[in-house]
Structure formats: C-alpha cells, structure tokens
Amino acid sequence: METVSENACFGGVQGVYKHASDACNCDMTFGLFLPEEAKDGPVPVLWYLSGLTCTHENAMTKAGAQGWAAEQGIALVFPDTSPRGEGVADDDAFDMGQGAGFYVNATQDPWAKHFRMWDYVGEELPALVAKEFAVDASRQGITGHSMGGHGALTLAMGLPGRYRSVSAFAPICHPTASDWGRKQLGGYLGDDEAVWAAHDATLLMRESGFDGPILTDTGTKDQFYKLLNTHDFAHAVGERGQQANLRLQPGYDHSYFFVSTFMEDHVSFHAEALYAG
C-alpha cells in the first residue's frame, strides 16, 4: 500500500492511499479519515460511497464530513466509484464505465475483467483497512450519495450482520425500474433480470429488509427525482414495517450543497448505532 498524502484534519489525519486490488485487477485509490481517538485504539468506521462521475476525492473534499466524524470519534472511508487506469474498459457516457461502477460484480464483457466493485467495497477494502489502520470492524456503518446511496442500501441488505446502520443521500432506490439502473445492470450483469434483484434496494426491502435503522434524505427539487424512485422504496419500507426515517427536504437538489447540509444528521445517526451496546 502506498501513502499518496496525509494531512492534519480536525485533530486527526485525512489520508489518501493507493493499493493493488485483486478484486478489480488494477490499482485502486481510497481516502481515509482517522480521528484523534484512533491513536489510542480502534474506532468505529463509516463508509461513504460516492455517485456517478465521482472519485474518492469528491465527498472527501465537499461533504464536510470530517468535522462531524471527529466530534463522534468515527473513521471515514471514501472508496473510489470504479476501477481506473490504462486497459480498464470505459464508455463515452457518464453513467457507464469509469466513474460508474454501480457497486456490482460485472459478468459481461468488456466489464468483467475489472468491474468487481461489490467484492472490492464489501470484502477486499474492508479487510485492508482493518489490517492497516486502527478501525473496529465490529462497528461499521455505511452511507452514500445517489449511485453510492444505491450501493449503501444494497450492500447493507445484501451483507446481513455487517453494518449496524445505513443511510443515504438521494439514493437510486429502484434501479430495475429506472433508466438509472436498467442500462447499467443490463450492461454489467446481462439480460437476466432475476440477477439484477440483488442490486435493487426496493426489491431487497420487500424480500428481507435490514436488521437496523435506516435514514435517507432526498431533496424535493432534486433534478433527478423521477429517476430515484424514492416513493417505491418508501412503500416497500411501509409494507415491511422497517425501522426507517425517510425524509424529503424542501427546496434541496442533488448537489453536494444538499449533502453537506445534512451530513451532521447522518454522522450523528450512525454514531448512535455504532456506539450502542
């Protein structure tokens, strides 16, 4: 593992690191904020998954999360959104290829060689972070924005017992029924829609739900609101009787101005779950 940079931040350290990924068959870069408490022993960890076109850097520099995480003594991990580099497949469209991994393990060419983001975020990177840094793997939460909100919800429900809490900012909630989803799931996973179900938060909620609290925020002025299918997820939550707080925020759009406004709420929400018991 290579240290790209480390900066003092709210009494802790904001680092950027690069490593060779077996899952993605290329070098991957991630950001990690460690609060001051990590000097004395392992701290809880919150994963932040970013959206389309983003890298590890977007949320790390725009979400304003480190200050709130420092107050709570929580580490933050900012993975990249896809494999990258020479020889990694890409697409001219912003919503496929590099920057648009959709947090799935691709089975279709040309994506299958590198695009294994489910294994990377769900298995390989957590093992590396737990080995190299002072984080407590028994106390994990996960959040994300847009495509990353989709990833957070599906990983939380798809890996039972892994995360104590899950939240999302403007998540893509029902990708099998959306233009933001059908294209990507078909491209990465093939035409069998039964395979897509494991990556659809609404379908997973109907099937199994999440053993813990859920928080989501979506702006009423979100320019992509019709692609998110927030109402379908809310209906599934209601049918299951899932513990969840699904909020619509008047006047907010899809930007990091929206994300940063409600970041304190999300970090506090996760801290309550991560420090319980």
Side-chain angles (χ1 to χ4, degrees):
M1 189 180 69
E2 173 189 346
T3 299
V4 177
S5 63
E6 288 184 333
N7 297 92
C9 183
F10 292 101
V13 177
Q14 175 62 63
V16 177
Y17 307 94
K18 181 185 290 188
H19 70 107
S21 167
D22 291 333
C24 295
N25 195 27
C26 64
D27 287 345
M28 295 292 287
T29 302
F30 66 95
L32 171 68
F33 169 74
L34 285 174
E36 187 173 15
E37 289 84 348
K39 297 175 184 176
D40 300 320
V43 296
V45 58
L46 176 60
W47 295 82
Y48 183 101
L49 307 185
S50 288
L52 290 167
T53 74
C54 293
T55 70
H56 69 281
E57 191 173 17
N58 291 73
M60 191 179 80
T61 59
K62 294 181 181 180
Q66 291 92 337
W68 306 121
E71 284 193 7
Q72 302 288 352
I74 293 173
L76 296 168
V77 186
F78 304 97
D80 203 346
T81 55
S82 77
R84 298 179 191 272
E86 186 177 352
V88 175
D90 202 5
D91 192 282
D92 290 337
F94 76 95
D95 56 357
M96 284 287 290
Q98 295 186 35
F102 241 74
Y103 304 102
V104 303
N105 286 340
T107 59
Q108 307 299 301
D109 291 332
W111 314 109
K113 182 178 179 180
H114 297 286
F115 282 70
R116 301 190 61 82
M117 291 300 293
W118 179 277
D119 283 353
Y120 178 69
V121 172
E123 303 296 341
E124 184 180 32
L125 188 55
L128 176 66
V129 170
K131 176 184 176 184
E132 299 289 342
F133 301 97
V135 301
D136 183 351
S138 70
R139 293 185 290 167
Q140 298 187 68
I142 190 166
T143 187
H145 173 228
S146 193
M147 178 185 72
H150 142 80
L153 292 171
T154 56
L155 281 157
M157 288 185 276
L159 298 173
R162 173 70 61 84
Y163 308 100
R164 294 193 181 189
S165 50
V166 59
S167 73
F169 301 87
I172 301 171
C173 291
H174 196 5
T176 63
S178 170
D179 290 341
W180 263 8
R182 294 189 62 82
K183 172 185 176 181
Q184 293 83 357
L185 295 176
Y188 291 137
L189 302 177
D191 295 333
D192 184 358
E193 295 191 19
V195 176
W196 302 1
H199 301 285
D200 186 303
T202 296
L203 300 182
L204 287 168
M205 180 57 65
R206 292 173 185 166
E207 180 69 23
S208 59
F210 176 65
D211 186 20
I214 297 174
L215 170 66
T216 70
D217 279 305
T218 304
T220 61
K221 295 282 184 72
D222 192 308
Q223 56 270 48
F224 306 111
Y225 187 82
K226 291 184 179 179
L227 296 171
L228 302 178
N229 285 327
T230 307
H231 57 288
D232 289 339
F233 185 67
H235 187 66
V237 164
E239 286 183 332
R240 173 158 287 277
Q242 169 73 46
Q243 179 186 359
N245 186 6
L246 313 180
R247 308 190 303 191
L248 293 178
Q249 300 294 355
Y252 284 89
D253 59 18
H254 201 73
S255 71
Y256 267 94
F257 297 111
F258 155 67
V259 173
S260 61
T261 298
F262 299 101
M263 182 56 70
E264 179 184 9
D265 290 357
H266 284 245
V267 173
S268 297
F269 162 80
H270 287 284
E272 183 176 354
L274 294 172
Y275 281 110

